[in-house]
Amino acid sequence: MTTNDSGAVVTAAVPPPDKGGSRYVSQPRRRGLRRLNPLLIIGGLIITFLVFVALFPALFTSQDPAQQDLAAQLEPPSAEHWLGRDQFGRDIYTRLIYGTQVSMVIGVSSVLLGMAVGIPVGMIAGYFRGKTERVIMWIVDVKMAFPGLILALLFVALFGQGVWNITLAIVIGIIPVFARLAHGPALAFREREFVKSSIVFGARAPWILYKHIWPNLRSEMVVIASMTAAVTIRIEAGLSFLGLGLPPPTATWGGMLRDGTTYLQTDPLFSLVPGLAIFVAALGFNLLGDGLRDALDPRTANS
């Protein structure tokens, strides 16, 4: 197990011994969630709650996150404003709620896009081998030599701020992670008897990749995707903290954290609350990933 420059966990899935013929390919379909565990439950509850807040922020606050009241700058917490107001008189609690939308949308969508591109690329490289594999994996290795946050900063600086640009900036950094993860197992399964038998009987490469190789990868990919989502949320918060996230007055956790650093001694909640939100979101995805790993791994089913 290793980590790439953007902090994502990179593991190589090692296929179990051949079960004989094509029986093994259907195993992941029957596997499912072998058992629930505390990590899976806690992580699932945290992420479900954050997604619900992101989808329905109006259920948690009736105020406008961009509404200013300069006469109430840095007002302390009260019954009406639970976490007080920021330097522009905006309600901190309301901005925290609406900041969840940005983190969830960018964090989750960037992982889905990274998987949609990276996994097929890695599978193709492992299946076809030869020159195709060398070219693809050379590009992947070159990209993984650069820190993901640096590439994201460069992309946003060149193409501007916005949800789509920030998402693409993060996707560029995580595509090689999924490509590397999918490459090793695809290379191993390419040599299995059930794949060779399909080739002999005239099955085409897309069919083999979809029917034989992908089912043996998807459990590991789901686990890694959950853990990678924690990384993408931190990257988005880091970009916002550096002033390269969504422009004001859009509420973002990283932007709130940056604004509050000036007032740490006089108004610590200003920075501590968004920082805690980033921590809880990252923790939720990591717990969910660990729980899914234990639930989907047949080696832990009877432990």
Side-chain angles (χ1 to χ4, degrees), residues 61 63-68 83 85-101 247-253 255-256 258-259 270 274:
T61 179
Q63 301 188 47
D64 184 352
Q67 183 178 358
Q68 300 183 11
L83 299 177
R85 293 175 180 263
D86 64 9
Q87 76 275 29
F88 297 110
R90 299 172 299 192
D91 184 65
I92 295 177
Y93 168 75
T94 299
R95 293 183 63 77
L96 182 73
I97 293 297
Y98 279 89
T100 309
Q101 287 184 322
T250 304
T252 62
W253 289 345
M256 294 175 64
R258 179 197 62 223
D259 293 341
F270 196 170

PDB file of all heavy atoms in Angstrom, residues 61 63-68 83 85-101 247-253 255-256 258-259 270 274:
ATOM      1  N   THR A  61     -31.719  26.047   7.525  1.00  0.00           N
ATOM      2  CA  THR A  61     -31.619  27.477   7.771  1.00  0.00           C
ATOM      3  C   THR A  61     -32.504  28.216   6.780  1.00  0.00           C
ATOM      4  O   THR A  61     -32.658  27.778   5.632  1.00  0.00           O
ATOM      5  CB  THR A  61     -30.167  27.967   7.637  1.00  0.00           C
ATOM      6  OG1 THR A  61     -30.122  29.373   7.857  1.00  0.00           O
ATOM      7  CG2 THR A  61     -29.601  27.651   6.271  1.00  0.00           C
ATOM      8  N   GLN A  63     -31.990  31.599   6.298  1.00  0.00           N
ATOM      9  CA  GLN A  63     -31.295  32.844   5.989  1.00  0.00           C
ATOM     10  C   GLN A  63     -30.493  32.726   4.705  1.00  0.00           C
ATOM     11  O   GLN A  63     -30.178  31.629   4.232  1.00  0.00           O
ATOM     12  CB  GLN A  63     -30.376  33.227   7.158  1.00  0.00           C
ATOM     13  CG  GLN A  63     -31.129  33.408   8.478  1.00  0.00           C
ATOM     14  CD  GLN A  63     -30.245  33.979   9.559  1.00  0.00           C
ATOM     15  OE1 GLN A  63     -29.523  34.945   9.343  1.00  0.00           O
ATOM     16  NE2 GLN A  63     -30.293  33.377  10.740  1.00  0.00           N
ATOM     17  N   ASP A  64     -30.140  33.865   4.155  1.00  0.00           N
ATOM     18  CA  ASP A  64     -29.343  33.942   2.936  1.00  0.00           C
ATOM     19  C   ASP A  64     -27.867  33.950   3.322  1.00  0.00           C
ATOM     20  O   ASP A  64     -27.428  34.803   4.107  1.00  0.00           O
ATOM     21  CB  ASP A  64     -29.695  35.212   2.167  1.00  0.00           C
ATOM     22  CG  ASP A  64     -28.959  35.313   0.835  1.00  0.00           C
ATOM     23  OD1 ASP A  64     -28.077  34.482   0.567  1.00  0.00           O
ATOM     24  OD2 ASP A  64     -29.270  36.240   0.070  1.00  0.00           O
ATOM     25  N   PRO A  65     -27.053  33.015   2.803  1.00  0.00           N
ATOM     26  CA  PRO A  65     -25.640  32.974   3.192  1.00  0.00           C
ATOM     27  C   PRO A  65     -24.834  34.181   2.738  1.00  0.00           C
ATOM     28  O   PRO A  65     -23.755  34.448   3.269  1.00  0.00           O
ATOM     29  CB  PRO A  65     -25.138  31.694   2.510  1.00  0.00           C
ATOM     30  CG  PRO A  65     -26.077  31.476   1.379  1.00  0.00           C
ATOM     31  CD  PRO A  65     -27.408  31.953   1.854  1.00  0.00           C
ATOM     32  N   ALA A  66     -25.352  34.927   1.753  1.00  0.00           N
ATOM     33  CA  ALA A  66     -24.625  36.095   1.245  1.00  0.00           C
ATOM     34  C   ALA A  66     -25.133  37.407   1.819  1.00  0.00           C
ATOM     35  O   ALA A  66     -24.569  38.468   1.524  1.00  0.00           O
ATOM     36  CB  ALA A  66     -24.704  36.138  -0.277  1.00  0.00           C
ATOM     37  N   GLN A  67     -26.173  37.373   2.632  1.00  0.00           N
ATOM     38  CA  GLN A  67     -26.746  38.610   3.181  1.00  0.00           C
ATOM     39  C   GLN A  67     -25.803  39.232   4.195  1.00  0.00           C
ATOM     40  O   GLN A  67     -25.362  38.577   5.148  1.00  0.00           O
ATOM     41  CB  GLN A  67     -28.099  38.314   3.828  1.00  0.00           C
ATOM     42  CG  GLN A  67     -28.797  39.562   4.350  1.00  0.00           C
ATOM     43  CD  GLN A  67     -30.157  39.247   4.944  1.00  0.00           C
ATOM     44  OE1 GLN A  67     -30.591  38.098   4.931  1.00  0.00           O
ATOM     45  NE2 GLN A  67     -30.823  40.268   5.464  1.00  0.00           N
ATOM     46  N   GLN A  68     -25.488  40.507   4.004  1.00  0.00           N
ATOM     47  CA  GLN A  68     -24.549  41.205   4.869  1.00  0.00           C
ATOM     48  C   GLN A  68     -25.277  42.188   5.787  1.00  0.00           C
ATOM     49  O   GLN A  68     -26.312  42.741   5.438  1.00  0.00           O
ATOM     50  CB  GLN A  68     -23.509  41.964   4.031  1.00  0.00           C
ATOM     51  CG  GLN A  68     -22.678  41.086   3.124  1.00  0.00           C
ATOM     52  CD  GLN A  68     -21.625  41.878   2.377  1.00  0.00           C
ATOM     53  OE1 GLN A  68     -21.375  43.051   2.671  1.00  0.00           O
ATOM     54  NE2 GLN A  68     -20.992  41.246   1.403  1.00  0.00           N
ATOM     55  N   LEU A  83     -23.829  30.534  15.555  1.00  0.00           N
ATOM     56  CA  LEU A  83     -22.363  30.566  15.520  1.00  0.00           C
ATOM     57  C   LEU A  83     -21.826  31.985  15.350  1.00  0.00           C
ATOM     58  O   LEU A  83     -20.635  32.174  15.122  1.00  0.00           O
ATOM     59  CB  LEU A  83     -21.843  29.678  14.384  1.00  0.00           C
ATOM     60  CG  LEU A  83     -22.216  28.189  14.489  1.00  0.00           C
ATOM     61  CD1 LEU A  83     -21.720  27.422  13.269  1.00  0.00           C
ATOM     62  CD2 LEU A  83     -21.650  27.576  15.766  1.00  0.00           C
ATOM     63  N   ARG A  85     -21.591  35.936  13.639  1.00  0.00           N
ATOM     64  CA  ARG A  85     -21.483  36.516  12.290  1.00  0.00           C
ATOM     65  C   ARG A  85     -20.017  36.719  11.931  1.00  0.00           C
ATOM     66  O   ARG A  85     -19.157  36.834  12.813  1.00  0.00           O
ATOM     67  CB  ARG A  85     -22.216  37.859  12.229  1.00  0.00           C
ATOM     68  CG  ARG A  85     -23.738  37.765  12.392  1.00  0.00           C
ATOM     69  CD  ARG A  85     -24.322  39.171  12.445  1.00  0.00           C
ATOM     70  NE  ARG A  85     -25.765  39.191  12.604  1.00  0.00           N
ATOM     71  CZ  ARG A  85     -26.630  39.329  11.602  1.00  0.00           C
ATOM     72  NH1 ARG A  85     -26.189  39.439  10.355  1.00  0.00           N
ATOM     73  NH2 ARG A  85     -27.937  39.368  11.835  1.00  0.00           N
ATOM     74  N   ASP A  86     -19.748  36.793  10.627  1.00  0.00           N
ATOM     75  CA  ASP A  86     -18.373  36.975  10.180  1.00  0.00           C
ATOM     76  C   ASP A  86     -18.035  38.446  10.031  1.00  0.00           C
ATOM     77  O   ASP A  86     -18.782  39.318  10.503  1.00  0.00           O
ATOM     78  CB  ASP A  86     -18.133  36.213   8.866  1.00  0.00           C
ATOM     79  CG  ASP A  86     -18.973  36.757   7.721  1.00  0.00           C
ATOM     80  OD1 ASP A  86     -19.619  37.823   7.878  1.00  0.00           O
ATOM     81  OD2 ASP A  86     -19.000  36.119   6.654  1.00  0.00           O
ATOM     82  N   GLN A  87     -16.926  38.757   9.359  1.00  0.00           N
ATOM     83  CA  GLN A  87     -16.453  40.129   9.269  1.00  0.00           C
ATOM     84  C   GLN A  87     -17.351  41.018   8.414  1.00  0.00           C
ATOM     85  O   GLN A  87     -17.239  42.241   8.452  1.00  0.00           O
ATOM     86  CB  GLN A  87     -15.008  40.160   8.731  1.00  0.00           C
ATOM     87  CG  GLN A  87     -14.853  39.922   7.242  1.00  0.00           C
ATOM     88  CD  GLN A  87     -14.787  38.447   6.899  1.00  0.00           C
ATOM     89  OE1 GLN A  87     -15.349  37.609   7.588  1.00  0.00           O
ATOM     90  NE2 GLN A  87     -14.069  38.120   5.821  1.00  0.00           N
ATOM     91  N   PHE A  88     -18.245  40.415   7.647  1.00  0.00           N
ATOM     92  CA  PHE A  88     -19.203  41.187   6.846  1.00  0.00           C
ATOM     93  C   PHE A  88     -20.615  41.108   7.419  1.00  0.00           C
ATOM     94  O   PHE A  88     -21.565  41.543   6.772  1.00  0.00           O
ATOM     95  CB  PHE A  88     -19.217  40.681   5.400  1.00  0.00           C
ATOM     96  CG  PHE A  88     -17.901  40.851   4.694  1.00  0.00           C
ATOM     97  CD1 PHE A  88     -17.113  39.752   4.380  1.00  0.00           C
ATOM     98  CD2 PHE A  88     -17.440  42.111   4.348  1.00  0.00           C
ATOM     99  CE1 PHE A  88     -15.902  39.901   3.729  1.00  0.00           C
ATOM    100  CE2 PHE A  88     -16.233  42.273   3.704  1.00  0.00           C
ATOM    101  CZ  PHE A  88     -15.448  41.165   3.398  1.00  0.00           C
ATOM    102  N   GLY A  89     -20.748  40.560   8.603  1.00  0.00           N
ATOM    103  CA  GLY A  89     -22.053  40.445   9.228  1.00  0.00           C
ATOM    104  C   GLY A  89     -22.906  39.310   8.685  1.00  0.00           C
ATOM    105  O   GLY A  89     -24.121  39.281   8.907  1.00  0.00           O
ATOM    106  N   ARG A  90     -22.294  38.358   7.974  1.00  0.00           N
ATOM    107  CA  ARG A  90     -23.039  37.216   7.442  1.00  0.00           C
ATOM    108  C   ARG A  90     -23.123  36.117   8.492  1.00  0.00           C
ATOM    109  O   ARG A  90     -22.197  35.922   9.284  1.00  0.00           O
ATOM    110  CB  ARG A  90     -22.371  36.689   6.171  1.00  0.00           C
ATOM    111  CG  ARG A  90     -22.323  37.715   5.050  1.00  0.00           C
ATOM    112  CD  ARG A  90     -21.481  37.240   3.876  1.00  0.00           C
ATOM    113  NE  ARG A  90     -20.091  36.989   4.247  1.00  0.00           N
ATOM    114  CZ  ARG A  90     -19.114  36.795   3.373  1.00  0.00           C
ATOM    115  NH1 ARG A  90     -19.377  36.838   2.072  1.00  0.00           N
ATOM    116  NH2 ARG A  90     -17.884  36.576   3.781  1.00  0.00           N
ATOM    117  N   ASP A  91     -24.219  35.375   8.489  1.00  0.00           N
ATOM    118  CA  ASP A  91     -24.436  34.324   9.469  1.00  0.00           C
ATOM    119  C   ASP A  91     -23.496  33.152   9.203  1.00  0.00           C
ATOM    120  O   ASP A  91     -23.545  32.530   8.126  1.00  0.00           O
ATOM    121  CB  ASP A  91     -25.895  33.857   9.413  1.00  0.00           C
ATOM    122  CG  ASP A  91     -26.193  32.831  10.487  1.00  0.00           C
ATOM    123  OD1 ASP A  91     -26.127  33.170  11.673  1.00  0.00           O
ATOM    124  OD2 ASP A  91     -26.480  31.666  10.121  1.00  0.00           O
ATOM    125  N   ILE A  92     -22.639  32.810  10.164  1.00  0.00           N
ATOM    126  CA  ILE A  92     -21.646  31.755   9.984  1.00  0.00           C
ATOM    127  C   ILE A  92     -22.313  30.391   9.848  1.00  0.00           C
ATOM    128  O   ILE A  92     -21.911  29.565   9.021  1.00  0.00           O
ATOM    129  CB  ILE A  92     -20.637  31.762  11.150  1.00  0.00           C
ATOM    130  CG1 ILE A  92     -19.831  33.070  11.135  1.00  0.00           C
ATOM    131  CG2 ILE A  92     -19.707  30.560  11.065  1.00  0.00           C
ATOM    132  CD1 ILE A  92     -18.863  33.193  12.298  1.00  0.00           C
ATOM    133  N   TYR A  93     -23.337  30.142  10.637  1.00  0.00           N
ATOM    134  CA  TYR A  93     -24.027  28.846  10.571  1.00  0.00           C
ATOM    135  C   TYR A  93     -24.641  28.630   9.186  1.00  0.00           C
ATOM    136  O   TYR A  93     -24.521  27.539   8.599  1.00  0.00           O
ATOM    137  CB  TYR A  93     -25.109  28.781  11.646  1.00  0.00           C
ATOM    138  CG  TYR A  93     -26.060  27.618  11.483  1.00  0.00           C
ATOM    139  CD1 TYR A  93     -25.674  26.323  11.813  1.00  0.00           C
ATOM    140  CD2 TYR A  93     -27.354  27.824  10.991  1.00  0.00           C
ATOM    141  CE1 TYR A  93     -26.547  25.260  11.647  1.00  0.00           C
ATOM    142  CE2 TYR A  93     -28.230  26.761  10.830  1.00  0.00           C
ATOM    143  CZ  TYR A  93     -27.822  25.485  11.161  1.00  0.00           C
ATOM    144  OH  TYR A  93     -28.688  24.436  11.003  1.00  0.00           O
ATOM    145  N   THR A  94     -25.276  29.648   8.642  1.00  0.00           N
ATOM    146  CA  THR A  94     -25.893  29.529   7.320  1.00  0.00           C
ATOM    147  C   THR A  94     -24.844  29.273   6.247  1.00  0.00           C
ATOM    148  O   THR A  94     -25.029  28.442   5.354  1.00  0.00           O
ATOM    149  CB  THR A  94     -26.677  30.809   6.985  1.00  0.00           C
ATOM    150  OG1 THR A  94     -27.703  30.994   7.957  1.00  0.00           O
ATOM    151  CG2 THR A  94     -27.302  30.713   5.601  1.00  0.00           C
ATOM    152  N   ARG A  95     -23.718  29.975   6.331  1.00  0.00           N
ATOM    153  CA  ARG A  95     -22.651  29.769   5.357  1.00  0.00           C
ATOM    154  C   ARG A  95     -22.032  28.384   5.502  1.00  0.00           C
ATOM    155  O   ARG A  95     -21.612  27.769   4.515  1.00  0.00           O
ATOM    156  CB  ARG A  95     -21.585  30.859   5.499  1.00  0.00           C
ATOM    157  CG  ARG A  95     -22.104  32.238   5.107  1.00  0.00           C
ATOM    158  CD  ARG A  95     -21.026  33.307   5.187  1.00  0.00           C
ATOM    159  NE  ARG A  95     -19.921  33.067   4.265  1.00  0.00           N
ATOM    160  CZ  ARG A  95     -19.964  33.307   2.971  1.00  0.00           C
ATOM    161  NH1 ARG A  95     -21.071  33.771   2.416  1.00  0.00           N
ATOM    162  NH2 ARG A  95     -18.913  33.081   2.220  1.00  0.00           N
ATOM    163  N   LEU A  96     -21.992  27.869   6.716  1.00  0.00           N
ATOM    164  CA  LEU A  96     -21.489  26.514   6.923  1.00  0.00           C
ATOM    165  C   LEU A  96     -22.404  25.491   6.243  1.00  0.00           C
ATOM    166  O   LEU A  96     -21.922  24.544   5.602  1.00  0.00           O
ATOM    167  CB  LEU A  96     -21.406  26.227   8.427  1.00  0.00           C
ATOM    168  CG  LEU A  96     -20.852  24.859   8.827  1.00  0.00           C
ATOM    169  CD1 LEU A  96     -19.351  24.814   8.585  1.00  0.00           C
ATOM    170  CD2 LEU A  96     -21.157  24.578  10.292  1.00  0.00           C
ATOM    171  N   ILE A  97     -23.706  25.682   6.384  1.00  0.00           N
ATOM    172  CA  ILE A  97     -24.667  24.772   5.767  1.00  0.00           C
ATOM    173  C   ILE A  97     -24.550  24.796   4.245  1.00  0.00           C
ATOM    174  O   ILE A  97     -24.471  23.744   3.586  1.00  0.00           O
ATOM    175  CB  ILE A  97     -26.102  25.135   6.198  1.00  0.00           C
ATOM    176  CG1 ILE A  97     -26.294  24.874   7.694  1.00  0.00           C
ATOM    177  CG2 ILE A  97     -27.119  24.344   5.380  1.00  0.00           C
ATOM    178  CD1 ILE A  97     -26.144  23.424   8.096  1.00  0.00           C
ATOM    179  N   TYR A  98     -24.503  25.981   3.652  1.00  0.00           N
ATOM    180  CA  TYR A  98     -24.430  26.078   2.199  1.00  0.00           C
ATOM    181  C   TYR A  98     -23.047  25.693   1.670  1.00  0.00           C
ATOM    182  O   TYR A  98     -22.911  25.303   0.504  1.00  0.00           O
ATOM    183  CB  TYR A  98     -24.810  27.489   1.739  1.00  0.00           C
ATOM    184  CG  TYR A  98     -26.301  27.691   1.677  1.00  0.00           C
ATOM    185  CD1 TYR A  98     -27.014  28.131   2.787  1.00  0.00           C
ATOM    186  CD2 TYR A  98     -27.014  27.416   0.510  1.00  0.00           C
ATOM    187  CE1 TYR A  98     -28.386  28.298   2.743  1.00  0.00           C
ATOM    188  CE2 TYR A  98     -28.393  27.588   0.454  1.00  0.00           C
ATOM    189  CZ  TYR A  98     -29.072  28.030   1.573  1.00  0.00           C
ATOM    190  OH  TYR A  98     -30.449  28.188   1.515  1.00  0.00           O
ATOM    191  N   GLY A  99     -22.033  25.796   2.505  1.00  0.00           N
ATOM    192  CA  GLY A  99     -20.707  25.331   2.096  1.00  0.00           C
ATOM    193  C   GLY A  99     -20.655  23.831   1.896  1.00  0.00           C
ATOM    194  O   GLY A  99     -19.792  23.319   1.156  1.00  0.00           O
ATOM    195  N   THR A 100     -21.580  23.108   2.533  1.00  0.00           N
ATOM    196  CA  THR A 100     -21.642  21.663   2.351  1.00  0.00           C
ATOM    197  C   THR A 100     -21.936  21.306   0.905  1.00  0.00           C
ATOM    198  O   THR A 100     -21.440  20.297   0.383  1.00  0.00           O
ATOM    199  CB  THR A 100     -22.737  21.065   3.263  1.00  0.00           C
ATOM    200  OG1 THR A 100     -22.543  21.525   4.598  1.00  0.00           O
ATOM    201  CG2 THR A 100     -22.696  19.546   3.243  1.00  0.00           C
ATOM    202  N   GLN A 101     -22.749  22.118   0.236  1.00  0.00           N
ATOM    203  CA  GLN A 101     -23.069  21.853  -1.167  1.00  0.00           C
ATOM    204  C   GLN A 101     -21.809  21.824  -2.024  1.00  0.00           C
ATOM    205  O   GLN A 101     -21.613  20.916  -2.842  1.00  0.00           O
ATOM    206  CB  GLN A 101     -24.020  22.923  -1.697  1.00  0.00           C
ATOM    207  CG  GLN A 101     -25.447  22.813  -1.191  1.00  0.00           C
ATOM    208  CD  GLN A 101     -26.354  23.855  -1.836  1.00  0.00           C
ATOM    209  OE1 GLN A 101     -25.950  24.999  -2.064  1.00  0.00           O
ATOM    210  NE2 GLN A 101     -27.571  23.457  -2.140  1.00  0.00           N
ATOM    211  N   PRO A 247     -15.333  31.983  -6.209  1.00  0.00           N
ATOM    212  CA  PRO A 247     -15.178  33.383  -5.792  1.00  0.00           C
ATOM    213  C   PRO A 247     -16.272  33.793  -4.813  1.00  0.00           C
ATOM    214  O   PRO A 247     -17.373  33.236  -4.814  1.00  0.00           O
ATOM    215  CB  PRO A 247     -15.282  34.155  -7.106  1.00  0.00           C
ATOM    216  CG  PRO A 247     -16.080  33.269  -8.008  1.00  0.00           C
ATOM    217  CD  PRO A 247     -15.728  31.869  -7.630  1.00  0.00           C
ATOM    218  N   PRO A 248     -15.991  34.801  -3.961  1.00  0.00           N
ATOM    219  CA  PRO A 248     -17.011  35.337  -3.045  1.00  0.00           C
ATOM    220  C   PRO A 248     -18.177  35.920  -3.856  1.00  0.00           C
ATOM    221  O   PRO A 248     -17.999  36.325  -5.006  1.00  0.00           O
ATOM    222  CB  PRO A 248     -16.257  36.434  -2.281  1.00  0.00           C
ATOM    223  CG  PRO A 248     -14.816  36.094  -2.445  1.00  0.00           C
ATOM    224  CD  PRO A 248     -14.688  35.449  -3.789  1.00  0.00           C
ATOM    225  N   PRO A 249     -19.383  35.914  -3.279  1.00  0.00           N
ATOM    226  CA  PRO A 249     -19.703  35.572  -1.881  1.00  0.00           C
ATOM    227  C   PRO A 249     -20.106  34.118  -1.671  1.00  0.00           C
ATOM    228  O   PRO A 249     -20.748  33.808  -0.672  1.00  0.00           O
ATOM    229  CB  PRO A 249     -20.876  36.500  -1.598  1.00  0.00           C
ATOM    230  CG  PRO A 249     -21.609  36.565  -2.898  1.00  0.00           C
ATOM    231  CD  PRO A 249     -20.543  36.523  -3.961  1.00  0.00           C
ATOM    232  N   THR A 250     -19.769  33.217  -2.613  1.00  0.00           N
ATOM    233  CA  THR A 250     -20.120  31.811  -2.463  1.00  0.00           C
ATOM    234  C   THR A 250     -19.512  31.251  -1.180  1.00  0.00           C
ATOM    235  O   THR A 250     -18.326  31.463  -0.898  1.00  0.00           O
ATOM    236  CB  THR A 250     -19.621  30.996  -3.667  1.00  0.00           C
ATOM    237  OG1 THR A 250     -20.142  31.561  -4.864  1.00  0.00           O
ATOM    238  CG2 THR A 250     -20.069  29.550  -3.553  1.00  0.00           C
ATOM    239  N   ALA A 251     -20.325  30.551  -0.412  1.00  0.00           N
ATOM    240  CA  ALA A 251     -19.857  29.988   0.860  1.00  0.00           C
ATOM    241  C   ALA A 251     -19.115  28.680   0.612  1.00  0.00           C
ATOM    242  O   ALA A 251     -19.647  27.755  -0.004  1.00  0.00           O
ATOM    243  CB  ALA A 251     -21.056  29.737   1.786  1.00  0.00           C
ATOM    244  N   THR A 252     -17.860  28.620   1.055  1.00  0.00           N
ATOM    245  CA  THR A 252     -17.066  27.393   0.992  1.00  0.00           C
ATOM    246  C   THR A 252     -16.368  27.206   2.329  1.00  0.00           C
ATOM    247  O   THR A 252     -16.009  28.176   2.992  1.00  0.00           O
ATOM    248  CB  THR A 252     -16.008  27.452  -0.125  1.00  0.00           C
ATOM    249  OG1 THR A 252     -15.080  28.523   0.147  1.00  0.00           O
ATOM    250  CG2 THR A 252     -16.657  27.690  -1.482  1.00  0.00           C
ATOM    251  N   TRP A 253     -16.154  25.962   2.696  1.00  0.00           N
ATOM    252  CA  TRP A 253     -15.500  25.692   3.978  1.00  0.00           C
ATOM    253  C   TRP A 253     -14.071  26.222   3.993  1.00  0.00           C
ATOM    254  O   TRP A 253     -13.632  26.808   4.987  1.00  0.00           O
ATOM    255  CB  TRP A 253     -15.502  24.191   4.243  1.00  0.00           C
ATOM    256  CG  TRP A 253     -16.868  23.650   4.566  1.00  0.00           C
ATOM    257  CD1 TRP A 253     -17.978  24.368   4.909  1.00  0.00           C
ATOM    258  CD2 TRP A 253     -17.254  22.279   4.576  1.00  0.00           C
ATOM    259  NE1 TRP A 253     -19.033  23.528   5.137  1.00  0.00           N
ATOM    260  CE2 TRP A 253     -18.636  22.249   4.941  1.00  0.00           C
ATOM    261  CE3 TRP A 253     -16.611  21.077   4.324  1.00  0.00           C
ATOM    262  CZ2 TRP A 253     -19.347  21.049   5.053  1.00  0.00           C
ATOM    263  CZ3 TRP A 253     -17.314  19.883   4.425  1.00  0.00           C
ATOM    264  CH2 TRP A 253     -18.661  19.874   4.794  1.00  0.00           C
ATOM    265  N   GLY A 255     -12.837  28.726   2.221  1.00  0.00           N
ATOM    266  CA  GLY A 255     -12.869  30.178   2.271  1.00  0.00           C
ATOM    267  C   GLY A 255     -13.199  30.697   3.652  1.00  0.00           C
ATOM    268  O   GLY A 255     -12.622  31.693   4.113  1.00  0.00           O
ATOM    269  N   MET A 256     -14.140  30.045   4.343  1.00  0.00           N
ATOM    270  CA  MET A 256     -14.467  30.437   5.712  1.00  0.00           C
ATOM    271  C   MET A 256     -13.272  30.233   6.631  1.00  0.00           C
ATOM    272  O   MET A 256     -12.988  31.067   7.506  1.00  0.00           O
ATOM    273  CB  MET A 256     -15.658  29.626   6.215  1.00  0.00           C
ATOM    274  CG  MET A 256     -16.971  29.901   5.494  1.00  0.00           C
ATOM    275  SD  MET A 256     -18.289  28.801   6.046  1.00  0.00           S
ATOM    276  CE  MET A 256     -18.445  29.320   7.769  1.00  0.00           C
ATOM    277  N   ARG A 258     -10.124  30.361   5.782  1.00  0.00           N
ATOM    278  CA  ARG A 258      -9.148  31.415   5.490  1.00  0.00           C
ATOM    279  C   ARG A 258      -9.557  32.743   6.125  1.00  0.00           C
ATOM    280  O   ARG A 258      -8.745  33.423   6.747  1.00  0.00           O
ATOM    281  CB  ARG A 258      -9.018  31.577   3.977  1.00  0.00           C
ATOM    282  CG  ARG A 258      -8.042  32.670   3.544  1.00  0.00           C
ATOM    283  CD  ARG A 258      -8.264  33.057   2.104  1.00  0.00           C
ATOM    284  NE  ARG A 258      -9.606  33.614   1.914  1.00  0.00           N
ATOM    285  CZ  ARG A 258     -10.391  33.307   0.895  1.00  0.00           C
ATOM    286  NH1 ARG A 258     -10.009  32.432  -0.004  1.00  0.00           N
ATOM    287  NH2 ARG A 258     -11.588  33.868   0.786  1.00  0.00           N
ATOM    288  N   ASP A 259     -10.840  33.112   5.971  1.00  0.00           N
ATOM    289  CA  ASP A 259     -11.304  34.387   6.516  1.00  0.00           C
ATOM    290  C   ASP A 259     -11.196  34.430   8.038  1.00  0.00           C
ATOM    291  O   ASP A 259     -10.963  35.496   8.627  1.00  0.00           O
ATOM    292  CB  ASP A 259     -12.756  34.636   6.095  1.00  0.00           C
ATOM    293  CG  ASP A 259     -12.902  34.856   4.603  1.00  0.00           C
ATOM    294  OD1 ASP A 259     -11.886  35.183   3.949  1.00  0.00           O
ATOM    295  OD2 ASP A 259     -14.023  34.684   4.086  1.00  0.00           O
ATOM    296  N   PHE A 270     -15.113  31.133  14.172  1.00  0.00           N
ATOM    297  CA  PHE A 270     -15.092  31.528  12.772  1.00  0.00           C
ATOM    298  C   PHE A 270     -14.259  30.534  11.952  1.00  0.00           C
ATOM    299  O   PHE A 270     -14.642  30.152  10.831  1.00  0.00           O
ATOM    300  CB  PHE A 270     -14.531  32.949  12.669  1.00  0.00           C
ATOM    301  CG  PHE A 270     -14.784  33.624  11.361  1.00  0.00           C
ATOM    302  CD1 PHE A 270     -14.509  34.976  11.200  1.00  0.00           C
ATOM    303  CD2 PHE A 270     -15.294  32.940  10.262  1.00  0.00           C
ATOM    304  CE1 PHE A 270     -14.734  35.623   9.996  1.00  0.00           C
ATOM    305  CE2 PHE A 270     -15.526  33.582   9.058  1.00  0.00           C
ATOM    306  CZ  PHE A 270     -15.231  34.915   8.921  1.00  0.00           C
ATOM    307  N   PRO A 274     -15.663  25.638  10.374  1.00  0.00           N
ATOM    308  CA  PRO A 274     -15.434  25.055   9.040  1.00  0.00           C
ATOM    309  C   PRO A 274     -14.303  24.033   9.031  1.00  0.00           C
ATOM    310  O   PRO A 274     -14.362  23.048   8.284  1.00  0.00           O
ATOM    311  CB  PRO A 274     -15.092  26.266   8.173  1.00  0.00           C
ATOM    312  CG  PRO A 274     -14.684  27.330   9.123  1.00  0.00           C
ATOM    313  CD  PRO A 274     -15.463  27.097  10.368  1.00  0.00           C
TER     314      PRO A 274
END
